[in-house]
Amino acid sequence: MPYDKPFKTFDEQLEILKNRGLSINDMEFAKIVLQDISYYTVVNGYKNYLIPDRSSDTFIPGTSFEMLYTLHILNINFSSVLLKYISYVENSVKCKLAYLVAKNYGVYTNYTDLKNIDPSDYLCRNNYINNKFRNNTLERIKKDIRGQQAGLSVNHYKSKNHIPPWIVTTSISLGETIHWYKILKPHLKDELLDYFNSLRCLNPLDKREFFIKSMDLCKEYRNTIAHGNKVFSETFKIELPKRQLQILSHNFMDGINIVHSSGRKGNVAIIFAILILLRNRYAISNFISDLDSVFSLYKDVDFNGKNILTLFSLPDDIIDRMVNMLPLII
């Protein structure tokens, strides 16, 4: 039976690329790259940006193997910066959530009580709104505390007389953190969002929606990156809400079509969401600096008539836009 994708040696793979119009300046280097990364990742992952159209398998004249590899490295560097600051956002939200839960409901939880009916337990179901996610969310948190993968901090506190919420947050995922926020009573949701000065111009309902969508977009990007998938010029399922984005973005979204959903869920959107959620001047300044370092070395490099920021679906002045947003969100 002839297979669509039969095995090919590294030399045969390089010959296929040359026949498709790709120039290879250093055959030994190209072979090492294929051994380390794979043909699919380095070629199929980025070829659509360097071919005339999606129906073609032939590269635009002048496209080199080194160009494809450079895009791959830039995607890794860009993803690493996003992952770093999404993690910062996650930790920040967990800290605020744990503080509010402890302040209002105490520091004790009975992690063997999966029904969550003990009124002295900060995870008691009566402390939260009665929606379809409540019981499952609380039960999953308890199971995370009980599980073998709970983490060193939680396991250490199991020998104490209580496990406070700021320890529990070290063992739960970003998704569970978002669900925990979603089941908070409205006044606690709003109290948490009061920490974000950047959202002060929105009414409470709009604040909540924008916050949830921003966190969900962060989660989608983080999961994509963690599974080794590219974020290069991609759009995602989660989109930031248009009305709030128009109010909050000032000039940040100039030239970005946020009426069309693609302008609210790509790389510009995740950068904006992280800016809004970071809140810390030092962290934001470092985020800007780290992103600038990813692209600055390649800003004058021509990728078959496109610059690197265009390939990442970012405006040429993205760093300036971030700098200009800083005084508006602190």
Side-chain angles (χ1 to χ4, degrees):
M1 173 181 172
Y3 292 105
D4 293 335
K5 299 292 182 181
F7 169 80
K8 299 289 184 182
T9 66
F10 295 121
D11 289 324
E12 289 172 329
Q13 292 173 31
L14 292 174
E15 195 61 34
I16 290 171
L17 291 175
K18 287 195 290 186
N19 291 336
R20 291 172 57 186
L22 190 70
S23 65
I24 303 175
N25 300 318
D26 186 333
M27 293 291 286
E28 285 306 310
F29 170 74
K31 191 180 295 186
I32 290 171
V33 170
L34 292 181
Q35 291 168 358
D36 289 346
I37 300 173
S38 89
Y39 181 103
Y40 178 84
T41 298
V42 75
V43 177
N44 290 7
Y46 307 96
K47 69 175 183 179
N48 288 339
Y49 310 101
L50 298 170
I51 57 177
D53 57 70
R54 295 293 178 97
S55 64
S56 174
D57 266 342
T58 302
F59 289 94
I60 297 170
T63 305
S64 67
F65 185 89
E66 289 76 14
M67 194 179 293
L68 285 174
Y69 181 67
T70 298
L71 293 180
H72 173 70
I73 294 299
L74 280 166
N75 178 69
I76 291 175
N77 293 342
F78 180 56
S79 298
S80 297
V81 171
L82 293 183
L83 186 60
K84 174 181 176 179
Y85 289 96
I86 288 170
S87 297
Y88 192 106
V89 167
E90 177 180 358
N91 291 333
S92 172
V93 170
K94 284 180 174 180
C95 181
K96 295 172 179 62
L97 175 63
Y99 177 87
L100 290 176
V101 169
K103 184 178 78 168
N104 287 274
Y105 304 124
V107 296
Y108 169 76
T109 184
N110 178 1
Y111 60 86
T112 64
D113 173 24
L114 297 182
K115 294 188 180 297
N116 298 295
I117 56 176
D118 182 348
S120 65
D121 188 336
Y122 58 77
L123 292 175
C124 176
R125 64 175 64 178
N126 291 336
N127 294 333
Y128 301 90
I129 62 174
N130 186 12
N131 67 12
K132 62 181 180 180
F133 303 110
R134 183 192 65 181
N135 292 347
N136 285 339
T137 297
L138 296 172
E139 184 178 330
R140 282 198 303 270
I141 293 171
K142 289 284 182 74
K143 286 181 176 179
D144 281 345
I145 300 171
R146 293 175 60 178
Q148 295 295 320
Q149 305 301 318
L152 292 175
S153 297
V154 170
N155 286 328
H156 171 72
Y157 266 82
K158 285 178 181 177
S159 64
K160 309 291 184 181
N161 64 1
H162 73 292
I163 305 177
W166 57 86
I167 297 298
V168 169
T169 55
T170 65
S171 71
I172 65 173
S173 68
L174 177 55
E176 287 177 345
T177 303
I178 295 170
H179 282 298
W180 196 351
Y181 169 82
K182 285 180 178 179
I183 64 172
L184 289 176
K185 290 182 176 178
H187 72 281
L188 288 185
K189 288 180 181 177
D190 294 340
E191 189 173 348
L192 189 149
L193 296 184
D194 283 344
Y195 284 105
F196 298 95
N197 293 331
S198 54
L199 301 178
R200 61 186 176 271
C201 56
L202 301 178
N203 66 53
L205 290 178
D206 281 353
K207 278 186 185 181
R208 294 175 207 164
E209 182 186 16
F210 187 84
F211 175 74
I212 288 297
K213 291 294 186 182
S214 296
M215 292 297 293
D216 282 340
L217 185 62
C218 285
K219 183 184 73 171
E220 189 175 10
Y221 260 85
R222 196 203 60 175
N223 291 346
T224 298
I225 295 167
H227 287 92
N229 297 318
K230 65 185 180 69
V231 297
F232 182 90
S233 193
E234 292 291 324
T235 56
F236 291 75
K237 294 178 182 178
I238 304 297
E239 58 188 58
L240 300 180
K242 178 174 64 176
R243 185 178 65 258
Q244 294 94 312
L245 191 56
Q246 289 172 326
I247 296 171
L248 294 171
S249 63
H250 302 280
N251 298 323
F252 189 87
M253 289 291 179
D254 281 1
I256 309 296
N257 185 3
I258 61 174
V259 174
H260 190 275
S261 64
S262 62
R264 305 197 304 273
K265 58 184 180 181
N267 289 335
V268 176
I270 187 61
I271 289 172
F272 183 77
I274 293 172
L275 281 175
I276 293 294
L277 296 173
L278 276 177
R279 182 179 166 269
N280 178 311
R281 178 183 293 274
Y282 180 80
I284 294 172
S285 296
N286 277 275
F287 180 38
I288 295 170
S289 177
D290 286 351
L291 266 188
D292 189 35
S293 69
V294 170
F295 297 116
S296 58
L297 289 176
Y298 300 91
K299 63 182 180 180
D300 297 323
V301 176
D302 182 271
F303 292 86
N304 289 344
K306 299 178 181 178
N307 67 32
I308 189 59
L309 290 167
T310 299
L311 288 174
F312 276 79
S313 298
L314 294 171
D316 291 346
D317 61 345
I318 183 64
I319 301 300
D320 290 337
R321 295 184 189 212
M322 295 173 74
V323 170
N324 292 336
M325 279 295 294
L326 186 55
L328 302 172
I329 56 182
I330 298 299

